[in-house]
């Protein structure tokens, strides 16, 4: 899955400079194909979150362009999962997942089948009337994922979604996310600073370097899906992690050097 | 994961937990019993001081006499209380409408807020007693005078708190609404207003007390010129006539009204926020 399919969107020489003079991204070229699970991996300050916000349309690039493959009459929809669950604290789980549809004018009754099906997919059946504070951190994140998917977006953008969770919860969410992805065939762009997470999940890992944020290298993770707990302990996994780790190491060295050069 | 165990009576508790449980129960009882005991003691002391020092009734009446006065002057006092309460609630209602309305207007644009907020502050910091002579010149209707006065005092906490609340929305949630192409109206209705609710209710609690104070103070200032019939007029009148028992009785009714208003508004706030807001949650260990 993922390989050889046509590009869904491409970043062409994209750069972003903020009004305070900080260049978050410089000259980034990146192609995201339909069905990809692409991870952006890099040290903090490499602009991976900025890249995600540019793709989402929450920011406009200073230079270059973001080129979507639009089918005729097709409205590109993106789902976004933030680092925090970012739920409405006063609304029930159902209402939180319903929200994106509600904003499009879909009534509660019309939205019900889609919402209930997604809640089942993220293993939250029976919790639709709970409010966020009654849920654990992992469950809140599941609600957040369900909300992002309820509009059936073509791209799911995830900004370090599991960084604040404990390891056991993170592993479980990783598995469930992969299952959903294989099932529903959306495209994922996943920002992370964990080598292990990026290798386990992705079909491709884009390693970024900082100051200015740029694409350093790209690694294809040619391991078959479905990937399960056995994959985590396999030789292949270890080798991919080793390789990705080495590339990340060089990316961070490159970061250090360019900063020293600047002074 | 989410269900916390409740202590069942059959459970065996170690000494530390048992002590904690006992302390909690004592605290719960104490929180009711202690204030009542102190109050009773204070009233008893008040009574004794009157008796021991043979203080005449027109200077400090005994609590029993005050109670009797509330009963014997009930028709007069309660109809006056009703007048004061009417002003209080009307001005509170207007404060809510005005405060929330202006806050929503301010939330539409930073420019509007920057331009008009200073006016609200000027209105707030100028003592109402000092403004009243002006109101007295411009407004004829007695009720309108009192309402305006009381409203000026009460609306600011609603405005200032609601404005703060409307502006304290999680940035990511705002991004989420933007991603979903929410209209300004949708963002206000589904995100900003609910997010501002705890702040608004905090402001409302303050405004409730202030509108009563405003109503009483306004009547006091108007008392000399007007022919009002609220509790403040009863207090002034009783003062002139050295009718201390009625003065005390009216005073007690005013403060009771204030307490009831506060409790009712607290209850409303609790009912609205109990499921989701930190302020309404019981502390968990």
């Amino acid at each position: 899955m993922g390989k050889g399919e046509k590009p869904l969107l491409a970043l062409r020489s994209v750069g972003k400079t903020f009004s305070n003079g900080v260049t978050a991204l410089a000259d980034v070229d990146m192609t995201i194909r339909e069905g990809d699970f692409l991870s952006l991996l890099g040290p903090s300050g490499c602009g991976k979150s900025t890249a995600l916000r540019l793709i989402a349309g929450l920011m406009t690039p200073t230079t270059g362009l973001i080129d979507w493959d639009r089918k005729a009459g097709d409205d590109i929809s993106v789902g976004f999962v933030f680092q925090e669950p970012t739920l409405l604290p006063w609304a029930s789980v159902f209402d939180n997942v319903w929200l994106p549809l509600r904003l499009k004018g879909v009534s509660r009754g019309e939205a019900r089948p889609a919402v209930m099906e997604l809640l089942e997919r993220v293993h939250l059946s029976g919790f639709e009337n709970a409010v966020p504070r009654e849920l654990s951190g992992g469950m809140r994140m599941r609600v957040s994922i369900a909300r992002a998917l309820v509009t059936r977006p073509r791209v799911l953008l995830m900004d370090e979604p599991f960084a604040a969770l404990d390891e056991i919860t993170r592993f479980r969410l990783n598995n469930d996310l992969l299952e959903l992805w294989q099932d529903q065939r959306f495209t994922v762009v996943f920002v992370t600073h964990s080598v292990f997470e990026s290798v386990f999940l992705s079909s491709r890992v884009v390693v970024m370097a900082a100051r200015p944020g740029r694409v350093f290298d790209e690694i294809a993770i040619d391991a078959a899906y479905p990937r399960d707990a056995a994959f985590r302990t396999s030789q292949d996994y270890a080798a991919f992690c080793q390789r990705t780790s080495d590339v990340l190491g060089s990316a961070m060295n490159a970061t250090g050097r360019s900063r020293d050069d600047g002074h | 994961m989410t269900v916390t165990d409740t202590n069942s009576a059959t459970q065996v508790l170690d000494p530390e937990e048992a002590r904690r449980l006992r302390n909690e129960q004592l605290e719960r009882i104490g929180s009711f019993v202690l204030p009542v005991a102190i109050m009773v003691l204070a009233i008893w002391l008040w009574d004794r001081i009157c008796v021991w020092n043979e203080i005449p009734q027109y200077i400090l009446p005994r609590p029993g006499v005050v109670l009797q006065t509330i009963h014997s002057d009930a028709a007069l006092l309660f109809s006056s209380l009703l007048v004061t309460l009417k002003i209080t609630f009307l001005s509170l209602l207007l404060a809510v409408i005005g405060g929330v309305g202006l806050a929503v207007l301010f939330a539409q644009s930073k420019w509007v807020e920057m331009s008009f907020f200073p006016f609200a502050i000027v209105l707030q910091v100028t003592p109402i007693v000092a403004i009243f002579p002006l109101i007295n010149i411009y407004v004829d209707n007695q009720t309108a005078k009192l309402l305006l006065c009381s409203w000026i005092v009460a609306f600011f906490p609603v405005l200032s708190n609601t404005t703060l609340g409307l502006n304290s929305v999680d940035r990511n949630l705002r991004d989420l609404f933007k991603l979903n192409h929410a209209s300004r109206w949708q963002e206000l209705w589904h995100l900003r207003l609910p997010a501002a609710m705890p702040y608004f209710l905090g402001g409302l609690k303050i405004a409730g007390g202030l509108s009563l104070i405003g109503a009483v103070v306004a009547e006091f200032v108007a008392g000399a010129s007007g022919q009002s019939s609220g509790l403040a007029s009863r207090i002034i009148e009783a003062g002139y006539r050295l009718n201390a028992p009625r003065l005390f009785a009216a005073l007690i009714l005013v403060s009771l009204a204030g307490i009831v208003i506060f409790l009712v508004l607290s209850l409303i706030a609790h009912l609205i926020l109990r499921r989701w807001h930190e302020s309404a949650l019981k502390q968990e260990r």
Side-chain angles (χ1 to χ4, degrees), chain B residues 67-82:
Chain B
L67 211 65
Q68 253 169 31
T69 312
I70 292 182
H71 182 73
S72 60
D73 293 358
L76 183 72
L77 286 173
F78 281 91
S79 68
S80 299
L81 177 66
L82 211 64

Side-chain angles (χ1 to χ4, degrees), chain B residues 5 9 17 19 94 106 112 121 123 149 169 181 214 274:
Chain B
D5 296 359
E17 284 300 309
R19 203 177 324 122
L94 292 177
F106 286 180
V112 179
I121 295 172
L123 214 54
C149 236
V169 175
H181 311 291
R274 64 177 166 179

Side-chain angles (χ1 to χ4, degrees), chain B residues 198-216:
Chain B
Y199 297 83
F200 161 73
L201 289 169
L204 185 66
K205 265 194 253 181
I206 302 171
L210 281 181
S211 60
L212 178 67
I213 293 174
V216 172

Side-chain angles (χ1 to χ4, degrees), chain A residues 79-84 141 144-145 148 156-161:
Chain A
F80 203 107
V81 177
F82 300 90
Q83 189 167 355
E84 303 293 323
M141 197 39 90
S144 190
I145 292 171
L156 181 63
L157 306 172
M158 306 181 90
D159 190 2
E160 302 190 28

Side-chain angles (χ1 to χ4, degrees), chain A residues 53 56-59 75-76 78-80 82-84 86-90 99-100 102-105 127 129-131 133-136 139 147 151 172, chain B residues 1-3 169-183 186-187 189-196 274-278 281-282 284:
Chain A
R53 294 173 69 81
L58 286 170
M59 286 179 184
D75 159 46
I76 301 288
V78 288
F80 203 107
F82 300 90
Q83 189 167 355
E84 303 293 323
T86 316
L87 304 174
L88 304 176
W90 53 83
L99 180 74
R102 191 181 194 182
L103 293 174
K104 285 186 166 62
F127 286 97
N129 291 322
V131 291
R133 71 159 197 91
E134 295 164 350
L135 305 176
S136 66
M139 291 163 98
R147 179 182 62 192
T151 52
R172 203 177 296 149
Chain B
M1 237 177 295
T2 56
V3 181
V169 175
D170 185 338
R171 279 180 56 93
N172 284 337
L173 275 171
R174 291 180 70 171
D175 282 344
L176 180 80
F177 274 67
K178 202 168 148 194
L179 272 172
N180 286 292
H181 311 291
S183 67
Q186 283 179 320
E187 190 184 315
W189 185 251
H190 294 299
L191 179 61
R192 283 175 172 245
L193 281 177
R274 64 177 166 179
R275 271 200 91 186
W276 65 276
H277 199 255
E278 295 295 333
L281 302 180
K282 283 213 187 90
E284 286 161 33

Side-chain angles (χ1 to χ4, degrees), chain A residues 194-223:
Chain A
S194 159
V195 169
F196 306 105
E197 192 172 52
S198 66
V199 171
F200 180 74
L201 293 171
S202 321
S203 52
R204 288 157 66 208
V205 176
V206 171
V207 179
M208 297 179 73
R211 279 179 280 269
R214 61 196 186 275
V215 172
F216 184 79
D217 202 354
E218 190 184 310
I219 303 155
I221 310 293
D222 295 315

Side-chain angles (χ1 to χ4, degrees), chain B residues 68-124:
Chain B
Q68 253 169 31
T69 312
I70 292 182
H71 182 73
S72 60
D73 293 358
L76 183 72
L77 286 173
F78 281 91
S79 68
S80 299
L81 177 66
L82 211 64
V83 172
T84 302
L85 284 182
K86 211 173 75 186
I87 301 285
T88 303
F89 285 124
L90 265 177
S91 73
L92 184 60
L93 186 73
L94 292 177
V96 168
I97 294 170
V100 173
L102 275 177
V104 166
L105 199 69
F106 286 180
Q108 296 312 302
S109 144
K110 267 222 159 62
W111 295 99
V112 179
E113 186 182 336
M114 283 192 290
S115 313
F116 290 100
F117 207 75
F119 282 93
I121 295 172
V122 168
L123 214 54
Q124 165 70 12

